[in-house]
């Protein structure tokens, strides 16, 4: 019976791969080769490597900007991962090159081009729109703190990365992950029929496809760690408040956090050392006082030698037992093989099978909460209420010209009403006509509006329960009790991180509810041609320890893969055109608005 089942699963995986239009082979051509940059190969180059090339004079910052813009122009028609390029990027790079020659460098980020997700406000000539039309053309009171810090460190803002519209806060159903009305459907270069898996998909795709070496994303519930897994990148979703959220279009005061998406944990640590600090415009950042290591996060980076004696816990139920993503064809074998490598490297693995809190808060088959959760404890109550509050506060400092019909917009309800009025249209796309139904597509906005942003007893009961149980689940998991009563503290918890086989990824939910950090490390590739990884759960403000664990895993596995662009010619749909009725020309973007066509 066991042999027959295995045979059926193998046969099924081959059938699925055939239906999807590809069988992975080494002979498949790469349709978008990366050109040399001023004679130098920068494909998959890290921030650290680029800084070295500039320091020895082989490349300049201006060279890098020119080469990344060329790469964007080469690939963005298919990927839709960059929404807009900063028109001043070349002049900024030139000035930084001159400064390098005359006075030296500001630090490890000097001259490095970077992208930011399109919900992070930049006070310059290009737009911040959160992927939609309702905010397009508006201006915020001041630039996002993290952008100002990256500029001060010598970074060159290359542009905005695309995102799922409204950071996946606009709709819960009847939407496409990675789609925005402004840009279209962002696609995964490993396989263009597969998901980018989270609203920061544009940032992740841009880095993996070499449109930039580093990008900043944001996470409320999975939008850093899940796209990183799907694109084979490194990231860390920090404790909310470690990095200022000022200037970031909000979803939830208690859950939002920006973070770097990169090709190495070294790059993640370099960026985190720049952007982690208190900010008087984000009160939650003051909770981090005394929690940021004086020596910085880069000092926590470790090699594979750090694995000897490291204690990692495996939360068996549900993440290693019933969750769908671990049971997709061929994945359990890959993950268990990696666990054996960890053991061989000296890691002590502990099977956490009886966590009395985890089964209360974690869905046994994937993303979200269990079906048996009492309705009054549903965490959707927290997210939808906080969304109404957050956007209402954001709009107080978001302005449009007095001649714009959106001038004075101050509530989420007004935003949704504007969407209903302006997004209802038909448009000729290819050989057919596409109709967008305004009765769907923003149901998350609708349920958030219904709360009136009231932080009442209903809200606090749901939020308080979820935060308490989630923290207990992670804290309990970090301790291991032996039969003789001895209790030891574990360094971190290790979970599978992938959405392959059509299953939801569950590794981000509990840290989101808890307000705890989580890191992601790539470890391999699935039968669908998609990267897979580990999620690493930590306790509050344990970012330095997570960086140590993640960088040690990185040095052991040393996994990297070049995207093969499967189905780049055949993956078609109505998402390939900008929103019908609007023309976002370069001229209109320069004036902070799209023209009505």
């Amino acid at each position: 019976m066991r042999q027959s089942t295995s045979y059926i699963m193998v046969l099924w995986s081959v059938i699925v791969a055939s239906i999807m239009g590809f069988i992975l082979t080494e002979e498949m051509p790469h349709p978008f080769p990366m050109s040399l940059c001023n004679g130098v190969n920068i494909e998959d180059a890290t921030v650290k490597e680029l800084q070295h090339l500039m320091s020895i004079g082989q490349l300049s910052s201006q060279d890098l900007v020119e080469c990344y813009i060329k790469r964007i122009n080469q690939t963005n028609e298919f990927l839709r991962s960059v929404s807009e390029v900063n028109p001043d990027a070349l002049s900024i790079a030139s000035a930084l090159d001159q400064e390098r020659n005359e006075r030296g460098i500001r630090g490890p980020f000097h001259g490095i081009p970077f992208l930011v997700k399109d919900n992070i406000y930049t006070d310059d000539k290009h737009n911040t729109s959160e992927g939609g039309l309702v905010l397009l053309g508006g201006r915020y009171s001041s630039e996002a703190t993290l952008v100002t810090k990256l500029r001060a460190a010598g970074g060159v803002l290359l542009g905005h990365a695309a995102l799922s519209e409204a950071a996946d806060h606009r709709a819960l159903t009847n939407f496409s992950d990675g789609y925005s009305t402004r840009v279209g459907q962002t696609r995964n270069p490993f396989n263009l029929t597969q998901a980018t898996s989270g609203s920061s998909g544009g940032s992740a795709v841009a880095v993996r496809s070499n449109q930039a070496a580093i990008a900043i994303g944001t996470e409320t519930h999975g939008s850093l760690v899940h796209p990183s897994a799907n694109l084979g990148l490194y990231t860390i979703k920090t404790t909310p408040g470690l990095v200022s959220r000022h200037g970031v279009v909000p979803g939830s005061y208690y859950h939002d956090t920006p973070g770097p998406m990169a090709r190495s944990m070294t790059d993640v640590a370099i960026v985190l050392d720049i952007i982690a600090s208190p900010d008087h415009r984000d009160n939650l950042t003051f909770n981090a006082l005394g929690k940021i290591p004086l020596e910085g996060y880069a000092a926590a980076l470790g090699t594979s030698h750090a694995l000897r004696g490291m204690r990692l816990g495996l939360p068996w139920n549900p993440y290693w037992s019933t969750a769908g993503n671990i049971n997709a064809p061929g994945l359990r074998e890959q993950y268990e093989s990696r666990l054996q490598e960890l053991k061989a490297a000296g890691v002590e693995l502990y099977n956490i099978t009886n966590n009395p809190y985890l089964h209360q808060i974690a869905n046994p088959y994937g993303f979200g909460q269990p079906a048996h959760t009492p309705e009054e404890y549903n965490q959707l109550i927290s997210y939808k209420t906080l969304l109404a509050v957050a956007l209402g506060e954001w709009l107080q400092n978001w302005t449009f010209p007095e001649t714009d019909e959106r001038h004075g917009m101050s509530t989420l309800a007004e935003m949704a009403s504007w969407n209903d009025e302006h997004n209802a249209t038909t448009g000729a796309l290819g050989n057919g006509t596409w109709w967008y139904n305004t009765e769907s597509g923003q149901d998350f906005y609708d349920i958030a509006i219904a709360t009136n942003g009231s932080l009442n007893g209903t809200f606090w009961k749901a939020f308080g329960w979820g935060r308490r149980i989630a923290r207990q689940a992670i804290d309990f998991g970090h301790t291991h009790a032996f039969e003789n009563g001895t209790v030891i503290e574990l360094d971190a918890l290790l979970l599978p991180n992938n959405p392959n086989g059509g299953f939801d990824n569950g590794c981000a939910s509990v840290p989101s509810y808890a307000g705890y950090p989580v890191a992601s490390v790539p470890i391999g590739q699935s039968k669908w041609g998609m990267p897979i990884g580990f999620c690493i759960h930590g306790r509050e403000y344990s970012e330095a320890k997570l960086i140590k664990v993640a960088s040690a895993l990185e040095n052991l596995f040393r996994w990297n893969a070049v995207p093969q662009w499967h189905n780049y010619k055949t993956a078609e749909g109505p998402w390939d055109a900008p929103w019908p009725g609007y023309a976002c020309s370069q001229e209109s973007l320069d004036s902070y608005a799209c023209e009505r066509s």
Side-chain angles (χ1 to χ4, degrees):
M1 183 68 181
R2 189 185 194 94
Q3 186 175 9
S4 174
T5 302
S6 299
Y7 173 77
I8 291 171
M9 291 188 72
V10 170
L11 179 61
W12 172 245
S13 66
V14 172
I15 293 171
V16 169
S18 300
I19 292 172
M20 291 168 66
F22 72 95
I23 298 292
L24 299 179
T25 64
E26 293 183 1
E27 290 75 26
M28 296 184 73
H30 190 313
F32 297 98
M34 180 81 174
S35 300
L36 295 179
C37 184
N38 198 27
V40 179
N41 181 12
I42 62 168
E43 185 171 15
D44 288 348
T46 64
V47 167
K48 187 175 181 181
E49 290 166 347
L50 294 177
Q51 190 59 251
H52 173 70
L53 289 169
M54 286 189 287
S55 69
I56 62 176
Q58 282 194 264
L59 287 174
S60 67
S61 180
Q62 193 168 354
D63 289 334
L64 290 177
V65 169
E66 289 174 347
C67 292
Y68 284 131
I69 291 176
K70 181 180 179 181
R71 181 64 169 173
I72 290 168
N73 291 336
Q74 178 192 19
T75 59
N76 210 49
E77 177 185 354
F78 293 90
L79 296 178
R80 301 296 174 92
S81 46
V82 175
S83 63
E84 194 172 345
V85 171
N86 181 3
D88 293 329
L90 279 170
S91 61
I92 294 170
S94 177
L96 286 164
D97 285 334
Q98 183 176 349
E99 180 181 326
R100 176 190 294 270
N101 294 332
E102 294 176 355
R103 300 194 296 275
I105 67 170
R106 302 181 190 183
F109 210 63
H110 189 111
I112 300 294
F114 68 98
L115 290 163
V116 298
K117 189 176 176 179
D118 191 26
N119 63 343
I120 299 173
Y121 181 69
T122 61
D123 193 16
D124 50 23
K125 291 180 183 176
H126 64 317
N127 291 275
T128 302
S129 71
E130 208 188 17
L133 302 179
V134 67
L135 294 180
L136 186 62
R139 310 292 287 172
Y140 198 58
S141 57
S142 58
E143 186 165 79
T145 299
L146 72 90
V147 175
T148 301
K149 286 181 173 294
L150 289 169
R151 290 189 200 264
V156 180
L157 179 59
L158 185 61
H160 278 113
L163 73 161
S164 301
E165 184 164 342
D168 274 341
H169 295 141
R170 175 171 163 162
L172 293 170
T173 59
N174 198 14
F175 77 106
S176 175
D177 196 23
Y179 177 83
S180 70
T181 58
R182 183 180 170 203
V183 176
Q185 180 68 46
T186 300
R187 294 187 174 160
N188 193 316
F190 282 96
N191 182 343
L192 276 75
T193 66
Q194 296 298 287
T196 53
S197 191
S199 68
S200 299
S203 297
V205 169
V207 175
R208 175 44 70 188
S209 61
N210 286 287
Q211 294 175 333
I214 194 87
I216 307 297
T218 65
E219 176 160 331
T220 304
H221 187 169
S223 289
L224 282 170
V225 294
H226 292 169
S228 291
N230 253 28
L231 276 303
L233 299 177
Y234 298 86
T235 194
I236 184 165
K237 191 279 289 190
T238 58
T239 305
L242 185 71
V243 177
S244 173
R245 288 85 51 85
H246 171 75
V248 179
V249 184
S252 166
Y253 174 80
Y254 290 107
H255 304 91
D256 292 347
T257 183
M261 308 178 88
R263 296 195 188 93
S264 72
M265 283 309 299
T266 297
D267 288 357
V268 169
I270 287 171
V271 172
L272 193 56
D273 277 334
I274 295 169
I275 63 177
S277 68
D279 180 8
H280 71 277
R281 293 166 298 188
D282 182 350
N283 290 338
L284 201 59
T285 62
F286 291 101
N287 290 347
L289 287 172
K291 310 290 177 53
I292 300 174
L294 294 176
E295 64 277 14
Y297 290 103
L301 292 163
T303 68
S304 57
H305 297 295
L307 293 171
R308 186 155 301 280
M310 187 177 287
R311 298 167 172 175
L312 301 178
L314 307 178
W316 195 256
N317 296 315
Y319 301 111
W320 292 92
S321 58
T322 56
N325 62 337
I326 187 66
N327 291 307
L331 291 189
R332 182 173 293 279
E333 292 82 357
Q334 281 204 63
Y335 277 108
E336 290 184 353
S337 174
R338 289 304 197 188
L339 293 179
Q340 290 304 315
E341 290 180 56
L342 289 175
K343 286 184 178 180
V347 173
E348 299 173 14
L349 294 176
Y350 295 89
N351 193 323
I352 313 298
T353 57
N354 182 29
N355 189 325
Y357 307 103
L358 195 54
H359 79 277
Q360 298 180 57
I361 196 75
N363 188 305
Y365 302 106
F367 200 67
Q369 291 179 261
H372 60 70
T373 305
E375 181 56 34
E376 63 266 30
Y377 296 146
N378 191 326
Q379 290 305 285
L380 186 58
I381 296 171
S382 303
Y383 291 107
K384 67 184 182 182
T385 306
L386 289 167
L387 177 62
V389 173
L391 287 176
E393 292 179 351
W394 172 265
L395 289 169
Q396 303 308 308
N397 294 301
W398 187 257
T399 57
F400 295 97
E402 291 187 9
T403 55
D404 193 301
E405 63 180 335
R406 294 166 294 175
H407 180 71
M409 181 184 291
S410 61
T411 65
L412 176 57
E414 290 174 306
M415 288 177 62
S417 177
W418 192 93
N419 282 336
D420 281 337
E421 182 180 350
H422 292 80
N423 287 347
T425 187
T426 58
L429 301 172
N431 297 322
T433 298
W434 174 39
W435 172 260
Y436 177 76
N437 180 2
T438 59
E439 297 304 316
S440 61
Q442 55 179 5
D443 57 328
F444 199 177
Y445 276 5
D446 293 339
I447 65 172
I449 292 164
T451 70
N452 293 314
S454 178
L455 301 179
N456 55 21
T458 300
F459 164 77
W460 288 111
K461 184 175 184 179
F463 174 77
W465 180 87
R467 180 133 294 191
R468 175 174 58 85
I469 298 297
R471 289 187 170 192
Q472 288 175 325
I474 294 175
D475 291 342
F476 181 91
H478 274 76
T479 61
H480 182 75
F482 293 94
E483 291 184 1
N484 63 4
T486 302
V487 177
I488 60 171
E489 176 78 10
L490 305 184
D491 293 298
L493 305 179
L494 209 58
L495 292 74
N497 184 16
N498 76 87
N500 284 273
F503 296 101
D504 276 334
N505 191 333
C507 83
S509 293
V510 176
S512 177
Y513 305 150
Y516 278 10
V518 53
S520 182
V521 173
I523 64 166
Q525 208 162 355
S526 75
K527 294 179 182 293
W528 285 266
M530 301 292 291
I532 63 174
F534 278 132
C535 258
I536 309 167
H537 286 186
R539 289 180 162 180
E540 190 176 34
Y541 296 112
S542 65
E543 286 80 7
K545 182 173 285 188
L546 288 184
I547 287 173
K548 177 182 178 180
V549 174
S551 57
L553 266 60
E554 173 189 6
N555 277 274
L556 176 67
F557 300 137
R558 297 184 179 276
W559 182 87
N560 189 42
V562 176
Q564 290 299 304
W565 299 75
H566 296 296
N567 302 303
Y568 79 97
K569 289 183 178 179
T570 58
E572 297 177 351
W575 49 77
D576 281 334
W579 195 264
Y582 282 81
C584 294
S585 65
Q586 186 59 51
E587 291 76 17
S588 67
L589 291 175
D590 286 344
S591 61
Y592 311 119
C594 285
E595 298 170 346
R596 187 75 162 141
S597 62

